[in-house]
Amino acid sequence: MKFMRRKKQQFFLRYILAALGMFTVFFLGMHILFAPRVSLHVLRPLTIPTQPVVYLPEPYIARVLTTSVLGAQTINPEDVIIYINDERMKRSAPPLRENATLDKAAAMRTAVIFKYQNFSHQDPNSHIQLDTVLPMLGYPFTYASENIGMGNSSAEEIVGGFMSSTSHRINLLNPALRETGVSVVYGEYQGYWVNVTVELFAIPATRDQYLGYGQEDVTNYKNFLTDVQSQIALTKDKLTNHVGDQEYYAGWQKILIRQEEILTTLYNTMLSQQPLVNNLITLMTEYNNNWNLVPKS
């Protein structure tokens, strides 16, 4: 009985193994026979994301800088925001929300002005300007702007001064703006003691808007990369085996290799969850233009 039972078990085991083997051969054969045929083709262009906009009106000076601001008082930045929102609501623009990150960015900007004695939007070291300090602090935005002023002695006078300047007034009253941050610092500037005000305004962005891509884009770029690599393999095979027009396949291969380099850089950027900054936007534009350079059959 034990012998018969063992024989049956061996029979079923051999049967199962044979069935698995036949299935494997069948599956691989079907895969080979019906595998998609690789051909040289142009991929659809990449969608260029909208870059954040930064607006910087010329600095505003309330009075000619020949004396210190006499009787200068400590000015509460929140009072400045109150007067800003008063002016906005008079003109049916929505009030701005104070954002702590924008407050911090504004404070960093005033500190730079006093440190380098440079009353402008441009940081001499180019690392705490508006377009760099916001990403540094992790504040995503689609639009940001900055008013800077000097020489006022009260919150009301600060806002009144900006309202008297066309570019600053337009900036302050922009109805699309949603958030603000303000810093007012009293200190020495080029031998005079004055108030310097930095107002920041912004339209915050979603995570996908800030990065310039979403999860669907990550999947698409992976597929694009796989497609291009398959085409490169085809051109290598044609050139190695001297099949067809060699100049034609060499031309395609040159373009495809460059496209692979660009897609790899962009895809790795997405995997590391970094934003598509200007140099990467340039690569995307090059990628789209490269498809116009492939040889014609």
Side-chain angles (χ1 to χ4, degrees):
M1 290 293 292
K2 290 183 178 180
F3 175 75
M4 292 297 293
R5 189 180 299 114
R6 188 180 303 113
K7 293 287 286 183
K8 287 182 179 180
Q9 290 174 344
Q10 290 175 349
F11 172 78
F12 282 117
L13 180 60
R14 285 196 296 270
Y15 177 80
I16 291 171
L17 290 175
L20 287 173
M22 292 176 64
F23 177 79
T24 301
V25 171
F26 175 77
F27 178 80
L28 291 175
M30 293 293 288
H31 182 73
I32 293 171
L33 288 173
F34 296 100
R37 187 170 179 272
V38 177
S39 62
L40 298 178
H41 58 276
V42 171
L43 276 66
R44 65 179 175 83
L46 304 179
T47 301
I48 307 296
T50 302
Q51 288 293 89
V53 175
V54 175
Y55 174 57
L56 305 171
E58 286 298 313
Y60 172 78
I61 300 179
R63 55 176 62 85
V64 178
L65 192 61
T66 57
T67 61
S68 299
V69 177
L70 300 178
Q73 57 180 288
T74 301
I75 300 173
N76 187 342
E78 292 184 358
D79 291 338
V80 176
I81 296 175
I82 290 173
Y83 283 111
I84 289 174
N85 282 332
D86 283 346
E87 296 294 342
R88 288 176 63 84
M89 288 187 288
K90 288 177 186 176
R91 296 161 179 81
S92 300
L96 300 173
R97 300 184 299 266
E98 182 177 11
N99 181 285
T101 302
L102 292 179
D103 284 335
K104 182 177 181 180
M108 293 172 70
R109 293 286 298 118
T110 51
V112 165
I113 290 171
F114 281 111
K115 178 179 180 179
Y116 295 107
Q117 297 290 287
N118 181 46
F119 184 62
S120 75
H121 296 289
Q122 306 303 316
D123 167 23
N125 286 350
S126 299
H127 67 283
I128 308 185
Q129 297 175 179
L130 180 58
D131 58 346
T132 56
V133 70
L134 294 184
M136 183 193 309
L137 295 176
Y139 182 89
F141 64 96
T142 59
Y143 179 94
S145 59
E146 178 179 77
N147 280 352
I148 62 175
M150 178 188 293
N152 300 112
S153 58
S154 69
E156 184 176 16
E157 190 177 298
I158 287 171
V159 176
F162 285 132
M163 289 294 293
S164 69
S165 164
T166 301
S167 59
H168 295 87
R169 180 175 67 254
I170 292 173
N171 194 24
L172 187 152
L173 297 177
N174 183 346
L177 299 173
R178 291 294 176 265
E179 296 185 341
T180 189
V182 176
S183 174
V184 185
V185 176
Y186 180 65
E188 184 179 2
Y189 180 82
Q190 297 184 1
Y192 302 100
W193 288 86
V194 295
N195 284 314
V196 169
T197 303
V198 172
E199 299 175 348
L200 300 186
F201 307 102
I203 302 173
T206 64
R207 181 179 180 277
D208 287 0
Q209 286 175 325
Y210 173 66
L211 292 176
Y213 56 88
Q215 187 54 49
E216 182 180 352
D217 296 303
V218 178
T219 301
N220 287 338
Y221 273 65
K222 181 180 180 180
N223 293 335
F224 294 157
L225 190 55
T226 300
D227 192 332
V228 167
Q229 289 169 342
S230 296
Q231 294 190 62
I232 290 174
L234 173 62
T235 59
K236 286 183 178 178
D237 178 70
K238 297 291 186 181
L239 292 171
T240 300
N241 295 300
H242 303 286
V243 177
D245 185 339
Q246 297 292 280
E247 184 178 350
Y248 174 76
Y249 288 114
W252 264 96
Q253 185 181 87
K254 180 180 178 180
I255 298 298
L256 289 167
I257 289 174
R258 178 55 182 162
Q259 300 296 66
E260 180 188 30
E261 292 172 350
I262 294 173
L263 286 173
T264 299
T265 299
L266 296 171
Y267 182 59
N268 288 338
T269 298
M270 292 178 174
L271 291 181
S272 61
Q273 298 184 353
Q274 296 300 308
L276 294 175
V277 293
N278 287 334
N279 62 315
L280 298 177
I281 298 298
T282 301
L283 285 181
M284 296 175 75
T285 302
E286 180 192 343
Y287 173 92
N288 290 341
N289 292 335
N290 282 344
W291 289 125
N292 297 320
L293 305 177
V294 297
K296 306 301 180 184
S297 58

